[in-house]
Amino acid sequence: MLLFLSVPQPRPPGARTRAGAARVARWRRLRLQQLRRLRGLLRVLRGRPEAGTRRRGRMALCGQAAGAASLPSELIVHIFSFLPAPDRLRASASCSHWRECLFYPALWPQLRICLRVSPAEQPRLEFLMRKCGWFVRELRVEFAAENYLSGGGPGDGGGADTGTGGEEVEALQLSARWLEVLRTYLELVLCVLVSIRNNRNLQKFSLFGDISVLQQQGSLSNTYLSKVDPDGKKIKQIQQLFEEILSNSRQLKWLSCGFMLEIVTPTSLSSLSNAVASTMEHLSLLDNNIPGNSTLITAVELERFVNLHSLALDFCDFTAEMARVLTDSNHVPLQRLSLLVHSVSIMHKSLDNMPNDEHWKALSRKSTNLRVYIMAFDIKSEDMLKILKPSIPLERIHFDSYITCVSGAIVDLISRQYDKFLTHFILMNDVIDTSGFPDLSDNRNEDPLVLLAWRCTKLSLLAIHGYTVWAHNLIAIARLRGSDLKVLEVTEESIDFDQGELADQDVDPVHNLIEQVSLGLGQPWHAVMDIESLSVFTEPNRHFYREMQSFSEDI
């Protein structure tokens, strides 16, 4: 510091003229003030102060006389723009001046929040949304009801009860837990919607709330919702707030709502003005709780969205008339189309109005870059044969089954029809009895999965659980696709070995499998040991929703 101060300073501009004397004096005063301010800041930041000066240093840091607080607010905002969001929130507890700077709108252009449906989250959510909800431009909120069906929690009573009495106690505990989940969920949704109701800067709005558990009698959420909200006031308030947000929006480009419990109604989109609807670039409406034949959007409503680049809907809602609307000359070419095929929707709606092969050809001609992402929940093979038209530019497909298994014929059909487009193939069967996984290659000379890897030259992701995958077929898949197959996820319990191979090999078959697959892929590989570590297996709805978001953004 002494060396810095002793260096001869350059001659100020205008020092040789009489007219520059005042400027010289002013220049020296400003430089002296800057040096004093720099000395004070370095004195505070040099290290831990002495015991006698600790309090004074802390006051200098947070006060207005000297220190970091003397810097312009714009500079503090710029410095803290390099901090991640959690560190910004922790720093806001330092002093009121920092808190004011840290919640400057430029620091929070987007919020991406994943919330546990727990009462402990509500105060934190209210604080964050109160600070940022009125100006944030991109808001993504995911609600996660963790372990709401698991036993052994507080007040569960352990596992001492058995027999019929134990089942009754367990049912009562489940009912109490589920009622609390729904009650908290409604409060959290209200908190989010109230905070952004007057935000006219909102450009991207995304909500995900998969707390709907399906049973044979219907949705578990609907069963208990009447107990949590018997007169329907909260649900009606949520729906009105959502429509108010849409009507107040002026810059909304992205609207995505997935599996939110009764938040979107068939009349919600009518709240959008024509000016906003005509500039919307992405629209996603996924909900399997709509009763009867109701749809969240009609072909007439879709005519207003002339600038859509990506669209995500329930497959039963995507009709032939919608396909015709999207091929009109006044619409921009659609780039991404995500479709959810759910057994619940097929039960209540018909597949008769779905697009035929000619409609898909017209869509492909309209947009040569159109790509389709399909997720199928518990769909029968005969229904899939109707859905999978040859002209669909299918890039990704995700099967998730609890009751109905995918047949080898469906896998073979996919590999034949979509060999030029397919990049992602996920096959999931969530069976309880792991001793009898279905074998896709049963009574067949060639394995459908190997043929899929051979025909689909763009395949980059393959994930399998709940279906038998023979070790030699897995090695063949790795060798066929090589390093182009970026992700190969197969659960350990899905892999089986031929008895003849086990008898003939002198080496450990598991070690040999890992070595051969790793060599084929050109990277280290191992089977998935813990299925809970991958959301694609444990949370298929959430995985599909996140993949759909990235799929739609990747244009």
Side-chain angles (χ1 to χ4, degrees):
M1 187 68 181
L2 292 177
L3 291 175
F4 174 74
L5 293 177
S6 64
V7 174
Q9 302 298 323
R11 183 182 297 274
R16 294 184 179 181
T17 63
R18 182 179 301 177
R23 291 200 302 272
V24 170
R26 204 161 44 242
W27 183 85
R28 287 175 176 170
R29 284 197 303 270
L30 289 174
R31 185 163 185 81
L32 183 60
Q33 291 176 3
Q34 292 173 354
L35 288 175
R36 287 176 178 173
R37 183 173 297 179
L38 180 60
R39 286 173 183 168
L41 182 59
L42 291 175
R43 192 178 298 116
V44 173
L45 300 178
R46 182 175 295 167
R48 184 183 295 274
E50 303 260 341
T53 62
R54 188 171 299 170
R55 182 176 180 183
R56 185 174 57 190
R58 188 160 52 244
M59 292 176 63
L61 179 64
C62 297
Q64 298 294 329
S70 64
L71 296 174
S73 298
E74 291 79 4
L75 183 56
I76 296 177
V77 169
H78 178 69
I79 293 172
F80 286 118
S81 66
F82 297 97
L83 288 177
D87 291 341
R88 293 181 208 163
L89 293 175
R90 281 189 286 268
S92 67
S94 300
C95 63
S96 59
H97 183 56
W98 281 22
R99 187 176 299 111
E100 292 175 1
C101 294
L102 284 168
F103 283 103
Y104 192 75
L107 291 176
W108 303 92
Q110 62 180 12
L111 281 179
R112 299 188 180 187
I113 309 170
C114 186
L115 290 170
R116 292 180 297 108
V117 181
S118 167
E121 296 282 7
Q122 189 165 353
R124 292 185 285 241
L125 179 64
E126 289 177 351
F127 170 78
L128 186 60
M129 297 307 300
R130 184 173 63 252
K131 290 291 186 180
C132 306
W134 60 277
F135 62 75
V136 67
R137 293 181 178 274
E138 178 182 346
L139 178 61
R140 295 188 180 186
V141 184
E142 293 185 7
F143 299 94
E146 297 179 352
N147 297 325
Y148 49 80
L149 293 178
S150 62
D156 287 351
D161 293 309
T162 58
T164 306
E167 294 177 357
E168 293 177 355
V169 171
E170 184 179 356
L172 291 174
Q173 293 170 352
L174 171 62
S175 175
R177 289 196 300 271
W178 191 244
L179 288 174
E180 181 63 24
V181 165
L182 285 179
R183 190 177 293 109
T184 306
Y185 165 78
L186 294 178
E187 293 296 333
L188 294 178
V189 173
L190 280 172
C191 175
V192 172
L193 298 183
V194 168
S195 64
I196 63 172
R197 63 192 304 177
N198 296 318
N199 185 347
R200 300 199 173 193
N201 297 320
L202 195 62
Q203 296 179 1
K204 286 189 175 183
F205 186 32
S206 175
L207 288 175
F208 173 84
D210 184 24
I211 64 169
S212 177
V213 178
L214 298 176
Q215 296 181 326
Q216 293 182 355
Q217 296 83 8
S219 173
L220 187 63
S221 301
N222 294 334
T223 304
Y224 289 103
L225 187 60
S226 58
K227 299 179 181 179
V228 175
D229 188 25
D231 51 3
K233 288 184 177 180
K234 284 190 176 180
I235 288 292
K236 190 171 183 60
Q237 183 182 1
I238 288 174
Q239 294 172 350
Q240 290 175 348
L241 282 171
F242 185 74
E243 293 180 1
E244 185 177 350
I245 292 169
L246 297 185
S247 63
N248 290 335
S249 64
R250 295 295 180 269
Q251 305 180 40
L252 195 61
K253 306 292 184 184
W254 181 290
L255 178 60
S256 181
C257 192
F259 309 104
M260 295 295 294
L261 186 60
E262 297 191 22
I263 185 173
V264 185
T265 66
T267 60
S268 296
L269 291 181
S270 61
S271 303
L272 281 172
S273 65
N274 289 330
V276 174
S278 62
T279 58
M280 188 83 72
E281 297 177 358
H282 171 82
L283 181 62
S284 172
L285 299 175
L286 301 170
D287 194 347
N288 53 28
N289 290 304
I290 300 300
N293 292 323
S294 302
T295 58
L296 296 178
I297 184 172
T298 62
V300 175
E301 187 71 36
L302 188 62
E303 291 179 352
R304 296 200 300 154
F305 297 84
V306 295
N307 198 46
L308 277 184
H309 296 282
S310 57
L311 178 65
L313 292 175
D314 187 290
F315 184 84
C316 294
D317 292 345
F318 186 69
T319 61
E321 184 62 22
M322 283 190 177
R324 186 198 61 78
V325 170
L326 293 174
T327 57
D328 287 345
S329 58
N330 60 331
H331 277 70
V332 300
L334 191 68
Q335 305 290 320
R336 298 291 184 267
L337 178 61
S338 302
L339 298 172
L340 174 66
V341 192
H342 206 292
S343 58
V344 176
S345 297
I346 292 181
M347 280 193 304
H348 296 94
K349 302 175 184 179
S350 174
L351 292 175
D352 297 337
N353 297 324
M354 66 179 180
N356 57 32
D357 198 52
E358 293 300 321
H359 292 116
W360 286 110
K361 288 180 180 179
L363 278 173
S364 298
R365 286 193 299 268
K366 172 75 175 181
S367 174
T368 56
N369 295 323
L370 176 64
R371 296 295 180 266
V372 178
Y373 182 11
I374 292 180
M375 181 166 189
F377 279 99
D378 259 332
I379 305 300
K380 298 177 181 178
S381 296
E382 52 267 28
D383 290 329
M384 285 305 304
L385 291 174
K386 298 178 183 177
I387 292 170
L388 296 175
K389 303 299 183 185
S391 299
I392 299 177
L394 184 65
E395 183 177 281
R396 305 184 183 191
I397 189 163
H398 182 169
F399 289 100
D400 192 280
S401 304
Y402 296 89
I403 302 173
T404 305
C405 296
V406 177
S407 65
I410 295 296
V411 178
D412 184 68
L413 178 69
I414 291 172
S415 66
R416 291 178 183 275
Q417 293 187 166
Y418 313 116
D419 55 314
K420 296 180 181 179
F421 302 103
L422 193 68
T423 62
H424 291 56
F425 186 82
I426 299 175
L427 197 57
M428 167 79 177
N429 183 26
D430 192 10
V431 296
I432 299 177
D433 183 13
T434 60
S435 60
F437 285 157
D439 185 2
L440 296 176
S441 61
D442 189 27
N443 296 325
R444 296 178 63 89
N445 296 325
E446 296 176 322
D447 184 75
L449 293 174
V450 176
L451 293 175
L452 180 83
W454 175 54
R455 292 167 178 158
C456 301
T457 57
K458 294 184 178 180
L459 189 67
S460 62
L461 184 147
L462 179 62
I464 303 171
H465 168 67
Y467 291 86
T468 299
V469 181
W470 296 99
H472 60 274
N473 289 332
L474 194 58
I475 295 173
I477 291 172
R479 290 175 177 174
L480 282 169
R481 292 274 52 88
S483 59
D484 293 335
L485 188 60
K486 306 299 182 184
V487 179
L488 177 60
E489 302 286 0
V490 183
T491 54
E492 182 190 24
E493 57 264 33
S494 300
I495 301 174
D496 203 352
F497 298 88
D498 287 334
Q499 294 299 323
E501 295 176 349
L502 293 175
D504 295 340
Q505 290 181 353
D506 295 331
V507 297
D508 182 8
V510 176
H511 177 76
N512 180 69
L513 172 66
I514 295 174
E515 181 180 3
Q516 294 299 322
V517 174
S518 299
L519 286 173
L521 296 177
Q523 60 180 339
W525 176 89
H526 59 83
V528 178
M529 308 294 289
D530 182 15
I531 190 175
E532 300 296 330
S533 62
L534 295 176
S535 63
V536 63
F537 296 134
T538 58
E539 298 178 292
N541 280 6
R542 186 180 302 275
H543 175 82
F544 168 67
Y545 189 76
R546 290 178 176 176
E547 287 295 306
M548 179 272 297
Q549 298 271 62
S550 61
F551 175 70
S552 300
E553 291 174 340
D554 185 24
I555 299 177

